[in-house]
């Protein structure tokens, strides 16, 4: 198995869920096992201490009552010492007030002197009990108090083994391990089944997406979880948008093909007509060549507009922003378009309410405004007018292009910015439009973080309102 396959395996949701369930199951179980064993040890040692301490207190009373410190040969006390030592598998040492050992049930240290912290504290009247878990024994020291004066006249040192507790704890730990291992197996099987069930809706979703990719066009509906429902909804929205984009692309390609093919077809028909005739009159020849030239101009305009759209579709970072006097820019545009307006007997008027300077791309904005004004001239009535006005506030400048033209039908207003869309196709071709002018204008305005709105009444005229920020702010 390659590293990538191993990495992909552990990145899978199923394996992560299995590991999560194992952790959730094993960690509490391990904590319970450790806590139970420690609790058992603590409780068992505590019970042993209580038992031994109660027996040791009885024994201290017997030692004092029988004056054992003065006569260590008393059979009765020695027998009790031996019995207590044997019962608890321990060792008992009796120490007199000179710190000498007068009795040792192991017969090892009799007559020796013993000085330890516990013994010294017991000579001060304290009862000491200490558990040594490493060496597995409990050690306790009890003061021997003279009955009348309550003076400490000796110390009883009792040491008992906890091997039996440790042995029982080992048995208990082995049993706990067996139970835990069995539980881990059960948890693993349950985790695998549960993880498989939880992941199944996502696998189903992936399979349905593949079917949709292969042409199965039904909507994605996986409602097993809220998350899968949201993902399905978002995917369907994205899919619908992609279908619209794809349809637009196909329509755009079809339109481009048609628009580019039409002038070529016209030129071929004209050329074939010339080639099919003998002794063509010069006048007819000139007329046909003029028509061919017009078709070439039309083809060139379509190609130039397409190139402009391609440039507009690039990132806004391609804008060449500079501070531009908008009043001068509009005057220059109207100066170039006034001859066209005069040929069509259209009055062209510019009204500036105040001086305006803004951060714009002069070339792209000029192209956008030119297209709006040129449309107003082309689709106007004889003796009509186009009125252009400029205004501004502290944040935006506003350009209004109003004409007295043929207007736009209400049902066409939402489509006018689509590429190659024409309200009246036959009339538009007659005029010479490509159906790209408004798309270019809108893209250029949006690239400047601006907005464009249209208001039109069929037969009365059209108004385009353009709003663009005075200061261009590049967003990341």
């Amino acid at each position: 198995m390659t590293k990538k396959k191993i990495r992909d395996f552990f990145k899978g949701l199923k394996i992560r869920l299995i590991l999560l369930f194992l952790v959730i199951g094993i960690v509490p179980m391990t904590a319970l096992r450790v806590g139970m064993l420690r609790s058992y040890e603590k409780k068992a040692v505590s019970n042993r201490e209580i038992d031994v301490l109660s027996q040791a207190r009885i024994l201290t009373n017997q030692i004092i009552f029988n004056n054992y410190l003065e006569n260590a040969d008393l059979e009765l006390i020695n027998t009790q010492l031996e019995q207590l030592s044997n019962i608890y598998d321990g060792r008992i040492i009796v120490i007199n007030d000179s710190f000498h050992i007068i009795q040792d049930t192991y017969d090892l240290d009799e007559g020796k002197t013993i000085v330890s912290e516990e013994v010294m504290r017991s000579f001060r009247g304290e009862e000491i009990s200490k558990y040594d878990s490493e060496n597995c024994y409990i050690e306790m020291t009890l003061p021997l108090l003279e009955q009348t004066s309550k003076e400490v006249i000796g110390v009883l040192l009792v040491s008992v083994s906890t091997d039996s507790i440790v042995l029982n704890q080992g048995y208990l730990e082995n049993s706990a391990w067996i139970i835990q291992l069995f539980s881990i197996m059960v948890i693993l099987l349950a985790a695998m089944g549960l993880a498989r069930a939880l992941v199944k809706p996502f696998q189903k979703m992936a399979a349905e997406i593949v079917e949709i990719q292969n042409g199965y066009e039904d909507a994605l509906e996986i409602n097993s979880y809220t998350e899968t429902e949201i993902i399905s909804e978002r995917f369907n929205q994205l899919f619908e948008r992609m279908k619209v984009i794809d349809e637009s692309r196909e329509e755009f390609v079809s339109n481009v093909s048609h628009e580019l093919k039409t002038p070529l077809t016209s030129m071929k028909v004209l050329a074939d007509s010339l080639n099919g005739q003998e002794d063509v009159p010069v006048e007819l020849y000139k007329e046909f060549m003029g028509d061919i030239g017009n078709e070439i101009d039309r083809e060139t305009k379509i190609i130039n507009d397409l190139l402009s759209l391609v440039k507009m579709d690039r990132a806004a970072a391609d804008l060449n922003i500079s501070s531009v006097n908008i009043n001068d820019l509009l005057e220059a545009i109207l100066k170039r378009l006034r001859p066209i307006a005069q040929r069509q007997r259209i009055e062209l008027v510019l009204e500036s309410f105040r001086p305006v300077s803004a951060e714009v791309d002069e070339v792209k904005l000029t192209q956008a405004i030119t297209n709006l004004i040129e449309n107003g001239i082309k689709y106007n009535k004889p003796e009509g007018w186009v009125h252009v006005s400029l205004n501004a506030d502290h944040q935006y400048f506003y350009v209004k292009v109003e004409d007295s033209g043929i207007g736009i039908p209400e049902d066409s207003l939402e489509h006018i910015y689509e590429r190659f869309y024409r309200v009246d196709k036959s009339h538009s071709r007659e005029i010479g439009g490509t159906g790209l002018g408004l798309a270019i204008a809108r893209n250029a305005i949006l690239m400047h973080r601006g907005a464009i709105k249209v208001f039109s009444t069929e037969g009365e005229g059209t108004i385009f309102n353009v709003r663009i920020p005075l200061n261009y702010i590049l967003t990341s």
Side-chain angles (χ1 to χ4, degrees):
M1 187 179 286
T2 63
K3 290 183 178 180
K4 185 179 184 304
K5 288 183 177 179
I6 295 174
R7 186 173 65 251
D8 291 343
F9 175 75
F10 283 102
K11 281 174 66 178
L13 179 60
K14 184 187 290 185
I15 189 64
R16 292 188 179 189
L17 285 173
I18 291 173
L19 293 174
L20 177 63
F21 292 141
L22 284 175
V23 170
I24 292 174
I26 291 173
V27 170
M29 194 178 300
T30 302
L32 180 63
R33 176 179 59 81
V34 173
M36 183 180 66
L37 292 173
R38 288 183 178 176
S39 177
Y40 167 78
E41 181 184 22
K42 185 177 180 181
K43 184 66 176 176
V45 169
S46 177
N47 290 339
R48 179 65 58 87
E49 286 179 341
I50 292 171
D51 291 343
V52 173
L53 188 59
S54 63
Q55 294 295 327
R57 283 173 179 168
I58 295 172
L59 191 55
T60 57
N61 291 333
Q62 292 290 330
I63 290 172
I64 297 298
F65 182 77
N66 291 286
N67 199 21
Y68 182 76
L69 294 176
E70 300 297 331
N71 184 10
D73 295 328
L74 286 174
E75 189 65 28
L76 176 64
I77 302 301
N78 286 334
T79 301
Q80 291 181 358
L81 292 173
E82 288 293 335
Q83 286 179 345
L84 184 62
S85 176
N86 293 332
I87 290 171
Y88 293 107
D89 189 22
R91 180 183 183 186
I92 300 176
I93 296 175
V94 181
I95 305 166
N96 63 17
D97 57 359
S98 300
F99 303 103
H100 291 148
I101 298 174
I102 62 172
Q103 182 58 267
D104 181 1
T105 55
Y106 277 13
D107 294 327
L108 295 175
D109 296 324
E110 289 182 4
K112 293 182 179 179
T113 300
I114 180 170
V115 177
S116 68
E117 181 183 353
E118 290 77 13
V119 171
M120 298 302 294
R121 289 172 62 186
S122 289
F123 268 107
R124 291 196 293 267
E126 295 182 41
E127 281 187 353
I128 308 297
S129 180
K130 181 181 72 175
Y131 171 56
D132 188 337
S133 58
E134 285 188 18
N135 298 307
C136 302
Y137 71 88
I138 300 171
E139 183 180 88
M140 54 184 64
T141 56
L142 294 87
L144 301 174
L145 301 176
E146 206 277 331
Q147 290 181 341
T148 56
S149 64
K150 301 300 181 181
E151 183 182 348
V152 179
I153 58 175
V155 172
L156 180 68
L157 190 151
V158 180
S159 178
V160 297
S161 173
T162 59
D163 287 341
S164 60
I165 294 175
V166 173
L167 186 62
N168 290 335
Q169 187 179 13
Y171 291 143
L172 185 61
E173 185 170 10
N174 291 336
S175 300
W177 269 113
I178 293 172
I179 294 171
Q180 184 170 0
L181 290 174
F182 177 77
S183 300
I184 289 172
M185 295 300 296
V186 173
I187 292 172
L188 178 60
L189 293 174
M192 291 173 66
L194 188 57
R196 183 178 180 183
L198 291 173
V199 172
K200 193 172 182 180
F202 294 98
Q203 294 173 334
K204 184 180 178 183
M205 180 179 291
E208 289 197 14
I209 290 174
V210 172
E211 290 184 4
I212 291 172
Q213 287 176 337
N214 293 333
Y216 178 71
E217 301 240 340
D218 201 3
L220 182 66
E221 290 185 10
I222 307 295
N223 301 325
S224 303
Y225 312 125
T226 301
E227 288 76 12
T228 56
E229 190 173 351
I230 293 172
I231 292 172
S232 298
E233 190 177 312
R234 297 290 187 272
F235 175 83
N236 290 332
Q237 292 173 355
L238 176 62
F239 185 63
E240 287 301 319
R241 185 178 176 187
M242 293 302 294
K243 284 202 296 185
V244 170
I245 292 173
D246 193 50
E247 289 170 0
S248 299
R249 179 185 58 80
E250 290 178 0
E251 184 181 358
F252 177 71
V253 172
S254 176
N255 288 337
V256 169
S257 301
H258 176 75
E259 294 295 334
L260 293 176
K261 186 178 179 181
T262 300
L264 292 174
T265 302
S266 298
M267 285 186 283
K268 181 172 175 56
V269 169
L270 292 168
D272 288 344
S273 297
L274 285 175
N275 291 330
Q277 300 180 39
E278 295 182 0
D279 300 325
V280 180
V282 175
E283 293 79 9
L284 183 62
Y285 183 83
K286 287 182 177 180
E287 180 184 347
F288 276 31
M289 290 304 296
D291 292 339
I292 290 173
N294 291 335
E295 293 299 327
I296 291 173
D297 290 340
R298 184 178 167 203
E299 187 93 359
T300 301
K301 182 169 178 54
I302 292 172
I303 291 171
N304 289 336
D305 283 352
L306 284 171
L307 290 174
S308 296
L309 270 178
V310 170
K311 292 178 181 178
M312 294 290 183
D313 286 339
R314 292 178 183 172
D318 289 341
L319 288 175
N320 184 19
I321 300 296
S322 61
S323 181
V324 176
N325 187 309
I326 306 300
N327 305 76
D328 293 344
L329 182 144
L330 291 178
E331 287 178 2
I333 293 173
L334 265 66
K335 184 178 180 180
R336 285 196 300 271
L337 295 178
R338 194 161 271 116
I340 299 174
Q342 288 173 349
R343 282 198 299 269
Q344 296 188 216
R345 294 176 297 166
I346 304 297
E347 183 183 8
L348 200 54
V349 179
L350 172 63
E351 183 179 13
S352 298
F353 291 93
R354 57 178 48 82
V356 178
S357 292
E359 296 176 357
V360 296
D361 184 315
E362 185 173 1
V363 174
K364 288 184 173 61
L365 184 61
T366 297
Q367 190 174 19
I369 303 300
T370 299
N371 284 341
L372 294 179
I373 299 174
E374 196 170 12
N375 274 359
I377 296 171
K378 287 179 179 178
Y379 300 99
N380 215 314
K381 301 173 184 177
E383 307 299 332
W385 50 265
V386 176
H387 182 263
V388 181
S389 63
L390 173 65
N391 207 341
D393 57 23
H394 67 287
Q395 191 173 3
Y396 300 97
F397 72 87
Y398 305 89
V399 176
K400 181 178 179 181
V401 179
E402 184 176 3
D403 64 61
S404 60
I406 60 178
I408 303 170
E410 188 176 350
D411 58 352
S412 296
L413 286 175
E414 59 181 301
H415 301 290
I416 61 173
Y417 301 114
E418 295 176 8
R419 299 170 183 186
F420 292 112
Y421 182 82
R422 292 187 179 92
V423 177
D424 184 347
K425 296 185 179 180
S426 60
H427 186 57
S428 297
R429 287 200 176 95
E430 190 179 300
I431 293 174
T434 64
L436 296 172
L438 289 179
I440 293 171
R442 180 175 180 271
N443 280 18
I445 291 166
L446 292 180
M447 289 176 72
H448 284 85
R449 312 280 188 261
I452 180 171
K453 290 185 179 180
V454 60
F455 304 93
S456 184
T457 303
E458 194 171 5
E460 295 184 9
T462 303
I463 300 173
F464 283 96
N465 288 326
V466 176
R467 184 194 71 187
I468 296 177
L470 294 171
N471 299 309
Y472 181 82
I473 300 176
L474 182 62
T475 57
S476 57

